[in-house]
Amino acid sequence: ADMIPPSINGIRTDFASIRARIGSFSLSELMRALNYDDELTPGVVEGAHPIPVDTTLGKYKAIGGLEMLEENFYQLIDVLGDGYGALVFPITVTKLSAAGKSNVDVLNGCRIMKPSGTYAKNDEGGLMIKVDLYVRYITRNGKTLCPLVLP
C-alpha cells in the first residue's frame, strides 16, 4: 500500500499548527522557527575483545532554540525580567495531529543561553535573532527518552 501523508480536512499539519508557551506567554505568533532534540548515548563497557561486553544507560543531553523577530525577543525578556538567563522555565509545544488529537512536547528546565543577532542587508520581515536554549529534558506526550526514575 502507498504511504499517504496524513491530513486534517485535506490540510496537512505544518508550522502554523504548533502552539508554544512559556507559562502564560504565547510564543506561537512570535517565533519564526523552533528546534529541539535530545539524545541518549550509551556508555560502552569494554573488555579485551574488540566487541563491547555491554552498555550502560549512558549520558543524556537535550538542546533547543528559537528564531524570532528581534522586537519579539525584547517583548519576551521584558516579561522574563532582569537576569533572564538565570531563569528556569518550561516551554510547552502543542501540535495538532492528523488523528485530531494533540501531541504535546514539554521542554523542561529551559534557560536562555545565547541570544545572537544575525543581521543582513535586505532582511525581509525585520531583524531576526536566534536564541539557544539549555534544556534539562524533553517529554513527548508525557514520555521521556531517558527514564526519570532509575530502577
Side-chain angles (χ1 to χ4, degrees), residues 46-51 53:
E46 296 179 341
H49 195 280
I51 297 174
V53 176

Side-chain angles (χ1 to χ4, degrees), residues 35-78:
N35 63 73
Y36 54 92
D37 60 51
D38 55 351
E39 64 182 63
L40 181 60
T41 305
V44 177
V45 178
E46 296 179 341
H49 195 280
I51 297 174
V53 176
D54 211 342
T55 60
T56 65
L57 183 59
K59 292 189 177 188
Y60 175 82
K61 182 178 181 180
I63 59 170
L66 300 166
E67 187 174 317
M68 62 179 63
L69 288 170
E70 185 182 62
E71 64 189 70
N72 293 339
F73 175 70
Y74 283 97
Q75 290 174 8
L76 173 62
I77 64 173
D78 284 346

Side-chain angles (χ1 to χ4, degrees), residues 1 20 26 30 47 55 68 72-73 78 95 105 110 120 126 132-133 146:
S26 175
L30 304 181
T55 60
M68 62 179 63
N72 293 339
F73 175 70
D78 284 346
K95 300 163 285 186
D105 298 343
C110 294
D132 291 341
L133 299 170
C146 180

